[in-house]
Amino acid sequence: MNRLSTPATSALLAAGALIAGALTAATPSAAATTPASFEQRHTQGFWTAERMRSATPLDVTATPGAKRLEVSTSATPTRIAPTAAASPTAFPQAGGAWTGGGAVVRTSGRVFFTMGGRTASCSGDSITSANGSTVITAGHCVKYQGAWHTNWVFVPAYDNGNAPYGQWAATKTLATDQWAASEDMNHDVGYAVVAPLNGQKLSQAVGAQGVLFNGGYNKRMYSFGFPAASPYDGSKLVYCSGNSGKDFLLTKDHSLACNMTGGSSGGPWFQDFNEATGLGTQVSVNSFGYTFLPNRMYGPYLGNEAKAAYDKAQTS
């Protein structure tokens, strides 16, 4: 993987092994007045199959803020049930193509956007919400280095340039207040509200996974995404599975053995995942990896901060 770095973290932290594109490194903006949402405008027809395929991998490096806010982990769990819309696979799995079928094939997808004038990609997931139109992803997949990404679309069930359920254009993208203000790695969570397509809302077309806030640590976990950096090419849904832990270094994130690469950022982490149905309870997203700890992925704890941003998204 390519590694971009700031002087403070070049030997420590490669965050977001998961966007696809190309950027130069810069220090994230820390303006406390940065809005936590962005009204999107979409150029119809911009994301052709070839343009989606050519959104190449980028590793994003971010520095956990010196004044990093702690994640709230003691609150009462808040669970949102899944919305209804195979064969078992290996556990644990450090990274391989998902062949189990089920709902996760439809609810997860690639995210495409313009960043700094260049095309890029992440991953995302359709989650149950009041508006039936909410996608969860990583914070750096909606805003990075002080700028909100534009031309943002979600392509559920992406398949090598094909969009079997269409391209869902965002009308608004949001992030936790902490990510919007200072790009705090503890709160690398973003959301998008997408417009209806062909007379349907997103959850009507592809279903939506359940989500759990303040659910605790050390769970049996499944992670999904569309990694696009070698040895992957972004053409298919990939998964990792195993017993998760907790980051003991710079964040309060979940930790999972996983070799997914650039493009997988924002892909969902599930506990209580049913391999036969492809349904689970989402508790995190792919976020970053440490340079000196290869083949391990980290994902933010969905606490009160992520719940607050979710509530803004689902009522938008």
Side-chain angles (χ1 to χ4, degrees):
M1 287 189 291
N2 298 324
R3 296 288 183 190
L4 297 181
S5 60
T6 58
T9 59
S10 59
L12 289 179
L13 180 63
L18 338 172
I19 299 185
L23 269 187
T24 56
T27 301
S29 168
T33 57
T34 301
S37 65
F38 179 74
E39 297 294 334
Q40 288 281 338
R41 298 291 183 270
H42 178 62
T43 304
Q44 190 67 29
F46 178 82
W47 288 108
T48 62
E50 183 56 36
R51 188 165 274 160
M52 288 190 290
R53 290 192 190 99
S54 65
T56 53
L58 164 72
D59 287 341
V60 180
T61 299
T63 307
K67 296 182 179 180
R68 189 170 65 245
L69 297 178
E70 295 298 328
V71 180
S72 300
T73 61
S74 59
T76 302
T78 303
R79 185 187 299 269
I80 293 87
T83 302
S87 61
T89 52
F91 184 99
Q93 168 64 265
W98 175 253
T99 60
V104 69
V105 175
R106 300 186 303 274
T107 64
S108 60
R110 289 190 78 177
V111 167
F112 296 94
F113 49 87
T114 301
M115 176 173 58
R118 304 178 185 184
T119 59
S121 79
C122 278
S123 300
D125 189 49
S126 170
I127 54 172
T128 296
S129 61
N131 59 22
S133 303
T134 299
V135 175
I136 187 171
T137 186
H140 67 263
C141 296
V142 296
K143 174 186 177 288
Y144 182 61
Q145 295 179 346
W148 292 89
H149 308 324
T150 58
N151 232 14
W152 203 102
V153 300
F154 176 59
V155 183
Y158 176 89
D159 181 15
N160 194 25
N162 297 313
Y165 294 94
Q167 298 180 3
W168 297 75
T171 58
K172 177 183 286 188
T173 48
L174 308 91
T176 60
D177 290 342
Q178 294 74 20
W179 182 263
S182 62
E183 299 185 5
D184 182 342
M185 289 305 300
N186 276 316
H187 304 281
D188 186 17
V189 182
Y191 300 92
V193 179
V194 296
L197 184 63
N198 299 324
Q200 285 189 307
K201 293 184 176 182
L202 179 64
S203 63
Q204 294 173 318
V206 302
Q209 299 283 356
V211 59
L212 175 64
F213 299 93
N214 293 302
Y217 289 94
N218 302 313
K219 307 290 184 178
R220 183 181 171 98
M221 203 82 76
Y222 285 74
S223 168
F224 292 83
F226 288 82
S230 180
Y232 300 107
D233 61 7
S235 64
K236 61 178 68 72
L237 181 64
V238 172
Y239 85 106
C240 297
S241 63
N243 295 314
S244 67
K246 182 179 179 181
D247 184 13
F248 58 87
L249 294 170
L250 298 179
T251 72
K252 302 295 185 182
D253 283 18
H254 299 283
S255 168
L256 182 69
C258 185
N259 69 6
M260 280 197 271
T261 59
S264 63
S265 272
W269 289 39
F270 300 109
Q271 66 177 51
D272 305 325
F273 183 76
N274 186 313
E275 292 179 343
T277 64
L279 287 169
T281 304
Q282 185 161 351
V283 294
S284 188
V285 297
N286 296 322
S287 177
F288 77 94
Y290 291 104
T291 58
F292 56 88
L293 292 176
N295 300 322
R296 183 156 288 273
M297 183 78 75
Y298 294 84
Y301 183 89
L302 299 187
N304 294 338
E305 302 82 4
K307 176 63 163 57
Y310 166 79
D311 286 339
K312 292 176 184 177
Q314 73 164 340
T315 56
S316 295

